C-alpha cells in the first residue's frame, strides 16, 4: 500500500483491535461510569459554602493543567516506567491519525482514540492522589466536589477528542464550537509539530498561557 498511514491503519485494525470490540459500547461504558461516579460524588455534598464551591473552578483548572502536562511530557516523551503511555499515544495514536488523515472509518477505530487501560491507570492514579490529599487537607465536601469535577472534565475530554477523529458522517461533527477545536487539534497531529504545540485537547487554556498554542 502506497500510503503509509493507511498501511498502518490496516495493520492495526487486523492485529490490535479485538474482533469483539465495539466503539459505541466503549464510549457508553466510559460515559456511564464517569457520569455515574460524578453523581455519586455530588450526592455526598450537602449545603456547601461559597468557599467550598470554589473547588469546582479550581478543579477545572487543575484538570486542564494535568491534561496539558500529561500530554506534553509522558505522552510525547519517553520516561522510565511510563513507556507504555508514550507507545500508546505518540507511537500509535499519532501514526493512526496525522494532520492529513484525521478521521477514522467507523466505531472500531475508536479503539485508538478512547482511553485504554494504560492511560486510564496513569491519569486515574494522578487524580486519585490529588483527591486523597484534598480529603485529608480540606475535608470531604471539597474532596467530593473535586472528584465530581474531575470526572466530568474527563468525560468531556473523551467526547471532544473522539469528535475530532470520528467518521465524516458522525453527528458529533455538529457539536457547537467544534470547528475551531478540531483545527487546534489537527495542527498538533502534524508529525513535525506534535511534540511542540497544542497539547490541550479539550480547552486550550494552558496552551495560551505557555505560548504553545499555534494556528495554521
Amino acid at each position: 500500500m502506497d500510503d503509509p498511514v493507511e498501511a498502518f491503519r490496516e495493520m492495526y485494525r487486523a492485529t490490535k483491535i479485538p474482533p469483539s470490540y465495539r466503539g459505541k459500547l466503549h464510549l457508553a461504558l466510559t460515559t456511564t461510569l464517569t457520569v455515574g461516579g460524578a453523581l455519586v460524588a455530588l450526592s455526598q455534598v450537602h449545603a456547601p459554602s461559597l468557599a467550598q464551591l470554589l473547588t469546582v473552578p479550581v478543579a477545572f483548572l487543575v484538570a486542564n493543567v494535568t491534561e496539558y502536562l500529561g500530554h506534553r511530557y509522558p505522552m510525547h516523551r519517553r520516561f522510565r516506567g511510563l513507556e507504555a503511555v508514550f507507545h500508546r499515544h505518540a507511537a500509535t495514536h499519532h501514526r493512526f491519525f496525522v494532520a492529513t488523515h484525521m478521521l477514522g472509518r467507523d466505531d472500531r477505530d475508536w479503539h485508538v482514540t478512547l482511553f485504554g487501560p494504560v492511560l486510564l491507570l496513569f491519569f486515574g492514579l494522578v487524580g486519585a492522589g490529588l483527591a486523597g490529599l484534598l480529603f485529608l487537607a480540606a475535608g470531604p465536601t471539597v474532596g467530593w466536589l473535586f472528584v465530581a469535577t474531575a470526572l466530568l472534565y474527563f468525560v468531556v475530554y473523551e467526547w471532544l477528542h473522539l469528535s475530532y477523529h470520528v467518521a465524516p458522517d458522525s453527528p458529533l461533527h455538529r457539536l457547537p464550537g467544534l470547528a475551531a477545536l478540531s483545527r487546534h487539534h489537527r495542527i498538533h497531529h502534524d508529525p513535525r509539530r506534535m511534540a511542540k504545540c497544542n497539547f490541550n485537547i479539550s480547552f486550550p487554556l494552558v496552551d495560551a498561557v505557555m505560548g504553545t498554542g499555534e494556528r495554521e
Side-chain angles (χ1 to χ4, degrees):
M1 187 175 294
D2 293 334
D3 187 332
V5 178
E6 289 299 336
F8 179 81
R9 288 181 169 194
E10 290 307 313
M11 180 280 295
Y12 188 92
R13 289 166 180 149
T15 63
K16 302 297 183 182
I17 303 178
S20 60
Y21 178 79
R22 296 294 181 272
K24 292 183 178 67
L25 181 61
H26 186 168
L27 180 63
L29 183 62
T30 296
T31 303
T32 300
L33 292 176
T34 307
V35 174
L39 292 175
V40 169
L42 289 174
S43 72
Q44 306 303 308
V45 177
H46 305 287
S49 67
L50 179 60
Q52 289 171 328
L53 286 174
L54 290 176
T55 303
V56 174
V58 171
F60 176 89
L61 292 175
V62 169
N64 196 253
V65 171
T66 301
E67 171 193 302
Y68 178 91
L69 294 177
H71 191 189
R72 181 172 184 175
Y73 295 107
M75 294 171 79
H76 277 283
R77 291 169 174 79
R78 295 182 186 274
F79 287 85
R80 182 172 296 179
L82 296 175
E83 292 88 350
V85 174
F86 174 87
H87 179 77
R88 166 72 182 177
H89 185 75
T92 302
H93 180 73
H94 274 270
R95 288 185 67 188
F96 200 99
F97 295 110
V98 299
T100 55
H101 298 68
M102 286 294 286
L103 304 181
R105 185 174 64 188
D106 52 38
D107 74 316
R108 285 179 56 76
D109 286 352
W110 298 4
H111 183 272
V112 76
T113 300
L114 295 174
F115 265 54
V118 170
L119 291 177
L120 277 175
L121 177 63
F122 173 70
F123 284 108
L125 289 174
V126 173
L130 291 173
L133 289 174
L134 285 175
F135 271 94
L136 293 173
T141 297
V142 169
W144 286 121
L145 284 171
F146 179 87
V147 169
T149 306
L151 287 172
L152 292 175
Y153 187 100
F154 173 74
V155 76
V156 170
Y157 169 102
E158 285 285 74
W159 275 81
L160 284 175
H161 190 202
L162 180 65
S163 69
Y164 309 148
H165 296 297
V166 292
D169 60 348
S170 171
L172 288 176
H173 286 291
R174 296 195 292 271
L175 289 173
L178 187 67
L181 290 173
S182 293
R183 288 194 298 271
H184 180 85
H185 193 59
R186 184 173 66 248
I187 293 166
H188 173 71
H189 272 266
D190 182 336
R192 300 165 299 179
R193 304 167 79 181
M194 68 180 188
K196 301 176 182 179
C197 70
N198 295 13
F199 298 105
N200 278 129
I201 290 176
S202 52
F203 307 97
L205 303 179
V206 184
D207 271 321
V209 172
M210 297 298 293
T212 51
E214 294 187 5
R215 297 184 179 183
E216 291 173 310

